[in-house]
């Protein structure tokens, strides 16, 4: 009996030892899971920037000015013959649209402006002036359905090339500058194109304006600026687009050029920059209402580096006389434009029977203005060509 109890005790102890050993058995560690890095998902704007970067345009920026956004128009010295830039509220004498802008052409008979429709989407419209009144606004055929908010219009002197700013899926962020051209055959504007880098950025970029006579241009941006401030860049526009050669620049350098980190990097030479600055200073200080040979009030660019401001500057007395003729032609053109304005006002107030005769007079005056403008342009080109030949001797 004692033997049986002893045997059972030994067996119990053995089972306890085995159970304890099994309980203390080392656990097999779980296999570590490897987390693979996930590719960075770029936004459509970032993908658009990557696509634009290799095609960054070579520009020649001569100056920049940081101003309050509410005052940027005062830093764009657009000559009167190139038109006027105004706020919507100033032009239409209202307080309804604080951040909409208007461009009026040099003749003062056509304007382009931005205004929001009933859905809150801003579009660009145009009006023609008849007499003292403006016609009903008309959307621009071809771009009236362009996506995004549209603002800051400017029409070039050719009457066909329109710049404006828009923000939407075609922009890098905020407003971008776009360009379109009028197709006279189809009577509509072509599909707008983003002008690309370095004009545009992830910030707001807008109000591209060009003075083709003085070979100067401007655009506005709030990149790298505090709230309420913008930078107005002044540049020399190129007659044809030229991109930076990718083989000459690293990716980092190209990104700096695309961001306009240093305008000095854009100068072809210090001499060319100084000559352009001289044109700018003459434009800023010149009288836009009158000009006469023999005083410093007139400005006549001969080439990118030479601007005449006195009759004594002409190398040929004949060319000085021809230039005096152009001034007389400009006065004649101004007189016809004043008469044209009066005729338009009379037309607006006339009876139906009187309008037929006035319409002929208006048409004839418009043709005269167009003819004089062409004659001035041809004569000035002749003078420049002759003076340039003399300058190279």
């Amino acid at each position: 009996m004692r033997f049986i109890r002893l045997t059972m005790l030994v067996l119990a102890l053995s089972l306890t030892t085995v159970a304890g050993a099994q309980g203390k058995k080392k656990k097999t560690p779980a296999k570590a899971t490897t987390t693979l890095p996930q590719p960075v998902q770029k936004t459509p704007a970032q993908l658009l920037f990557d696509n634009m970067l290799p095609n960054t345009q070579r520009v020649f920026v001569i100056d920049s000015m940081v101003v309050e956004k509410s005052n940027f128009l005062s830093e764009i010295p657009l000559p009167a013959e190139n038109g006027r830039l105004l706020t919507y509220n100033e032009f239409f004498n209202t307080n309804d649209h604080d951040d909409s802008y208007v461009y009026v052409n040099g003749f003062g008979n056509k304007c382009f402006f931005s205004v929001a429709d009933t859905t809150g989407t801003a579009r660009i419209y145009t009006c023609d002036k008849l007499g003292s009144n403006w016609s009903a606004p008309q959307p621009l055929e071809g771009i009236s359905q362009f996506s995004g908010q549209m603002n800051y219009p400017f029409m070039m002197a050719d009457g066909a090339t329109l710049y404006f700013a828009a923000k939407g899926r075609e922009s890098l962020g905020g407003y971008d500058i776009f360009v379109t051209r009028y197709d006279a055959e189809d009577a509509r504007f072509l599909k707008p194109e983003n002008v690309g880098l370095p004009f545009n950025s992830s910030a707001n970029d807008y109000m591209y304006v060009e003075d083709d006579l003085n070979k100067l241009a401007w655009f506005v941006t709030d990149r790298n600026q505090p709230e309420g401030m913008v930078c107005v860049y002044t540049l020399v526009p190129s007659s044809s687009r030229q991109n930076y050669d990718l083989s000459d620049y690293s990716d980092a350098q190209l990104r700096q050029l695309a961001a306009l980190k240093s305008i000095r990097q854009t100068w072809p030479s210090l001499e060319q920059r100084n000559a352009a600055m001289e044109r700018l200073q003459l434009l800023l200080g010149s009288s836009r209402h009158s000009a006469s040979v023999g005083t410093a009030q007139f400005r006549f660019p001969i080439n990118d580096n030479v601007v005449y401001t006195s009759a004594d500057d002409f190398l040929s007395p004949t060319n000085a006389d021809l230039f005096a003729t152009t001034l007389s032609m400009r006065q004649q053109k101004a007189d016809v434009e004043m008469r044209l304005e009066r005729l338009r006002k009379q037309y607006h107030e006339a009876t139906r029977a009187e309008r037929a005769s006035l319409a002929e007079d208006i048409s004839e005056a418009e043709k005269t203005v167009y003819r004089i403008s062409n004659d001035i342009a041809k004569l000035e080109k002749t003078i420049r060509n002759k003076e340039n030949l003399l300058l190279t001797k």
Side-chain angles (χ1 to χ4, degrees):
M1 188 69 172
R2 182 180 294 178
F3 175 76
I4 295 174
R5 288 178 180 175
L6 182 59
T7 303
M8 293 179 66
L9 181 59
V10 171
L11 181 59
L13 290 172
S14 300
L15 291 173
T16 301
T17 303
V18 172
Q22 290 177 345
K24 294 179 180 179
K25 186 177 181 181
K26 187 176 181 180
K27 296 181 179 180
T28 303
K31 292 184 178 180
T33 57
T34 303
T35 303
L36 297 175
Q38 297 298 315
V40 177
Q41 296 296 323
K42 293 188 175 183
T43 65
Q46 290 171 330
L47 292 173
L48 182 60
F49 176 87
D50 291 344
N51 185 56
M52 288 181 176
L53 185 61
N55 299 307
T56 300
Q57 184 175 346
R58 183 184 293 275
V59 294
F60 178 12
V61 181
I62 65 172
D63 197 19
S64 62
M65 178 70 69
V66 176
V67 299
E68 293 183 5
K69 182 184 177 182
S70 58
N71 295 329
F72 78 83
L73 287 181
S74 64
E75 298 301 324
I76 302 177
L78 186 67
E81 56 266 30
N82 287 56
R84 293 184 296 153
L85 299 169
L86 309 92
T87 64
Y88 183 98
N89 288 347
E90 179 184 4
F91 183 74
F92 288 103
N93 192 26
T94 181
N95 295 315
D96 295 337
H97 303 281
D98 292 332
D99 200 26
S100 294
Y101 291 84
V102 180
Y103 167 75
V104 185
N105 68 357
F107 292 110
N109 62 356
K110 194 175 189 65
C111 71
F112 298 85
F113 61 92
S114 168
V115 67
D117 58 22
T118 55
T119 68
T121 303
R123 295 281 181 248
I124 294 179
Y125 298 82
T126 185
C127 292
D128 294 309
K129 192 173 186 180
L130 295 175
S132 58
N133 294 326
W134 290 92
S135 64
Q138 297 294 325
L140 300 187
E141 291 294 332
I143 67 170
S144 58
Q145 300 304 316
F146 185 71
S147 66
Q149 302 286 342
M150 303 167 65
N151 204 346
Y152 308 100
F154 173 75
M155 176 63 77
M156 290 283 291
D158 61 9
T161 305
L162 177 71
Y163 287 91
F164 65 92
K167 54 183 176 180
R169 62 173 180 267
E170 291 92 351
S171 65
L172 295 172
Y175 279 105
D176 272 14
I177 300 169
F178 290 80
V179 63
T180 180
R181 290 173 179 81
Y182 186 71
D183 185 344
E185 291 185 3
D186 293 336
R188 61 191 293 113
F189 284 89
L190 302 176
K191 180 180 178 181
E193 297 179 357
N194 190 309
V195 299
L197 306 172
F199 295 99
N200 293 321
S201 67
S202 59
N204 291 297
D205 309 279
Y206 50 89
M207 203 78 261
Y208 180 87
V209 175
E210 189 169 320
D211 173 7
D212 54 348
L213 177 62
N214 293 290
K215 296 183 179 179
L216 293 170
W218 299 265
F219 78 96
V220 183
T221 178
D222 62 12
R223 66 182 78 172
N224 305 317
Q225 300 302 321
E227 184 69 23
M229 305 296 289
V230 297
C231 182
V232 181
Y233 285 105
T234 304
L235 62 144
V236 177
S238 175
S239 57
S240 61
R241 182 185 179 107
Q242 295 181 355
N243 297 337
Y244 288 104
D245 189 339
L246 299 182
S247 63
D248 293 336
Y249 302 92
S250 67
D251 181 74
Q253 290 173 325
L254 189 60
R255 289 177 181 274
Q256 283 192 335
L257 292 168
L260 289 177
K261 290 293 185 182
S262 170
I263 64 172
R264 190 181 183 88
Q265 292 179 342
T266 71
W267 299 350
S269 69
L270 182 60
E271 291 74 19
Q272 291 184 53
R273 190 262 180 173
N274 290 340
M277 282 297 296
E278 182 180 352
R279 297 201 306 275
L280 176 61
Q281 293 305 318
L282 286 170
L283 180 59
L284 289 170
S286 67
S287 168
R288 298 177 186 177
H289 304 289
S290 63
S292 60
V293 175
T295 73
Q297 291 184 332
F298 83 85
R299 47 184 170 74
F300 186 59
I302 300 300
N303 55 47
D304 288 345
N305 302 314
V306 178
V307 178
Y308 289 178
T309 59
S310 167
D312 295 334
D313 292 337
F314 288 92
L315 300 180
S316 165
T318 301
N319 289 339
D321 292 340
L322 289 175
F323 183 71
T325 301
T326 68
L327 296 180
S328 298
M329 293 168 68
R330 286 186 180 278
Q331 185 59 54
Q332 181 186 1
K333 175 186 169 184
D335 293 339
V336 177
E337 288 174 339
M338 289 181 62
R339 177 173 178 269
L340 182 58
E341 182 64 23
R342 290 194 298 268
L343 288 170
R344 286 171 175 158
K345 184 176 181 179
Q346 293 174 17
Y347 181 91
H348 178 70
E349 299 171 350
T351 64
R352 181 177 297 180
E354 294 171 333
R355 287 187 173 184
S357 175
L358 287 171
E360 293 181 2
D361 292 340
I362 290 173
S363 176
E364 189 62 30
E366 289 176 338
K367 292 177 182 177
T368 301
V369 170
Y370 181 80
R371 176 182 56 77
I372 295 175
S373 298
N374 283 342
D375 290 343
I376 291 173
K378 292 177 181 178
L379 187 53
E380 289 183 342
K381 183 177 181 180
T382 299
I383 297 170
R384 287 191 179 95
N385 289 338
K386 290 182 178 179
E387 284 295 301
N388 277 314
L389 287 175
L390 295 173
L391 287 170
T392 57
K393 290 184 177 180

